[in-house]
Amino acid sequence: MKKTASQKLKLGVFVVVGTLLLIAALYSIGNRQNLFGSNIKIMTQFTNVNGLELGNNVRYSGINVGTVSKIQMINDSQIVVEMLIQEKIGKHIKKDAVATIGSDGLVGNMIVNIIPRESKKRAVVSGDTIKSFSKIGTDDMLTTLNVTNENAALLTADLLKITTEILEGKGTLGLLINDSIMAKDLKLTIYELRKASTGASRAITELKDIISSIGESESIAGVLLSDSISGQKMKTIVNNLEQSSVEITEVSKNLNVVLKDIKEGEGALNYLSNNPDLVKNIDSTMNNIKQGTQRFNQNMEALKHNFLFRGYFKKLEKEKNKGSKN
């Protein structure tokens, strides 16, 4: 059966249209894959490409500028990704740009993002390798979350156990929480410690004031401690006072003997001694002298035990002992 002219025309139109559609499709695909334009090749290295495939898009500042042309594994921790980049865009990509792998939307294909940096370095040329940055993948995040959940479960179980023991009054903390008497004792102890601390602070402050006053030249202790000449004079005074005390005691003894002789003898002195009023006056005077002597001896004894003169008296006692031995 012979074909008519109209059928031949329709067949020719179909073939032409189909050919045009095929050419348009090939051009569109080739244009997306940068097959017909001037391109440059740049490389980067990753430890994990996260599902990146040949033909996936390459973006620079959010614009599609090329495609992934080659993926080659060098070793178990080094994967080289080769990218075809439009030559007109390549002059805007600096040598310090960073490549990362991301996804085109939530469930889209993987893409390579080239992140620019503000610098004055030169633009990349064909064959350059730029730095890369590996983001945490979804699997890694899920693994981390799983470990975190397991740790949280263990911590929750331990916390529940500790809380139960505290409520049951077990352990020191449970005893403190459930025992009101111990809580009151603890509060009282803390109060007493605070009061003692306050008293100690006050005492330290007063002691500092005393030490500061001793260090001043106007105070007596400061003069005695800092001035050697004044210290020597004070030693001389103390020595004279001790010698005077001994002499006063001897005078008192001799005076008692004289008075005894007067009372037992005759003459004017006997008369004077037998006069009641005069005797009372003399006795009163003697009592006053004795009391003064006793008080003076007590003052000397107290002075020996004073921390400022204790060393001096010990030194005199040692010298006295040495003299008696010699």
Side-chain angles (χ1 to χ4, degrees):
M1 181 178 178
K2 294 182 179 180
K3 295 181 180 180
T4 61
S6 61
Q7 290 177 342
K8 292 180 180 180
L9 181 60
K10 291 178 181 180
L11 179 61
V13 172
F14 177 77
V15 172
V16 172
V17 172
T19 303
L20 292 175
L21 291 174
L22 179 61
I23 293 172
L26 292 174
Y27 179 78
S28 177
I29 294 173
N31 190 32
R32 289 185 178 181
Q33 298 295 327
N34 297 321
L35 298 177
F36 304 111
S38 298
N39 301 316
I40 61 173
K41 291 182 180 181
I42 59 175
M43 278 79 69
T44 187
Q45 294 182 1
F46 294 100
T47 58
N48 187 351
V49 294
N50 294 323
L52 187 69
E53 297 179 352
L54 295 178
N56 288 152
N57 290 328
V58 177
R59 290 181 181 175
Y60 178 72
S61 297
I63 302 173
N64 290 331
V65 296
T67 57
V68 177
S69 60
K70 186 178 180 181
I71 299 176
Q72 182 180 3
M73 177 173 282
I74 304 301
N75 51 46
D76 57 349
S77 62
Q78 189 176 13
I79 301 174
V80 177
V81 177
E82 183 181 287
M83 299 169 285
L84 286 177
I85 306 296
Q86 298 176 17
E87 187 176 4
K88 61 181 180 180
I89 301 297
K91 62 183 179 180
H92 299 291
I93 302 175
K94 306 298 182 181
K95 291 183 179 291
D96 61 348
V98 179
T100 62
I101 296 177
S103 60
D104 190 4
L106 294 176
V107 293
N109 295 327
M110 304 304 294
I111 60 174
V112 178
N113 285 314
I114 299 178
I115 302 173
R117 289 188 177 181
E118 295 181 0
S119 65
K120 296 182 180 179
K121 291 191 176 183
R122 296 180 181 180
V124 296
V125 295
S126 184
D128 282 348
T129 299
I130 62 175
K131 294 181 180 179
S132 64
F133 175 75
S134 297
K135 295 182 178 179
I136 299 176
T138 305
D139 294 338
D140 296 333
M141 289 189 291
L142 291 176
T143 302
T144 303
L145 287 174
N146 187 28
V147 175
T148 303
N149 289 334
E150 292 178 356
N151 293 334
L154 294 175
L155 289 174
T156 303
D158 293 339
L159 184 60
L160 180 60
K161 182 179 178 182
I162 293 171
T163 305
T164 303
E165 291 182 353
I166 290 175
L167 293 176
E168 292 177 354
K170 296 180 180 179
T172 304
L173 186 58
L175 186 61
L176 289 176
I177 292 175
N178 293 282
D179 192 347
S180 59
I181 297 176
M182 182 173 289
K184 291 181 180 178
D185 292 340
L186 184 60
K187 288 181 181 179
L188 182 61
T189 302
I190 293 174
Y191 174 76
E192 294 296 333
L193 286 174
R194 186 181 300 172
K195 187 165 65 174
S197 177
T198 303
S201 299
R202 189 182 299 111
I204 291 173
T205 303
E206 294 176 356
L207 184 59
K208 286 183 179 179
D209 295 338
I210 294 172
I211 294 174
S212 299
S213 65
I214 290 175
E216 296 176 356
S217 59
E218 290 81 1
S219 63
I220 297 175
V223 172
L224 293 177
L225 293 176
S226 59
D227 191 351
S228 59
I229 298 175
S230 299
Q232 187 63 36
K233 290 180 178 179
M234 184 58 67
K235 289 180 181 179
T236 303
I237 292 171
V238 172
N239 191 15
N240 292 334
L241 286 174
E242 186 175 9
Q243 185 175 359
S244 298
S245 175
V246 175
E247 292 176 354
I248 290 173
T249 303
E250 293 294 330
V251 169
S252 297
K253 291 180 180 178
N254 296 331
L255 187 59
N256 287 330
V257 173
V258 172
L259 290 175
K260 185 177 180 182
D261 294 338
I262 290 173
K263 288 182 179 181
E264 294 176 353
E266 296 179 354
L269 292 177
N270 187 20
Y271 172 75
L272 291 175
S273 63
N274 292 322
N275 189 346
D277 295 331
L278 184 59
V279 171
K280 289 181 181 179
N281 291 332
I282 293 174
D283 289 339
S284 177
T285 303
M286 288 301 299
N287 289 330
N288 292 332
I289 293 174
K290 289 181 179 180
Q291 291 178 0
T293 303
Q294 291 177 356
R295 291 176 182 176
F296 184 82
N297 291 332
Q298 290 177 357
N299 291 334
M300 287 300 299
E301 188 67 21
L303 192 62
K304 289 181 180 181
H305 293 284
N306 189 279
F307 76 98
L308 292 175
F309 305 100
R310 190 183 302 162
Y312 172 73
F313 285 106
K314 288 184 178 180
K315 182 178 179 181
L316 291 178
E317 187 176 358
K318 290 181 179 179
E319 292 177 354
K320 184 177 180 180
N321 293 331
K322 288 181 180 180
S324 61
K325 288 181 180 180
N326 294 332

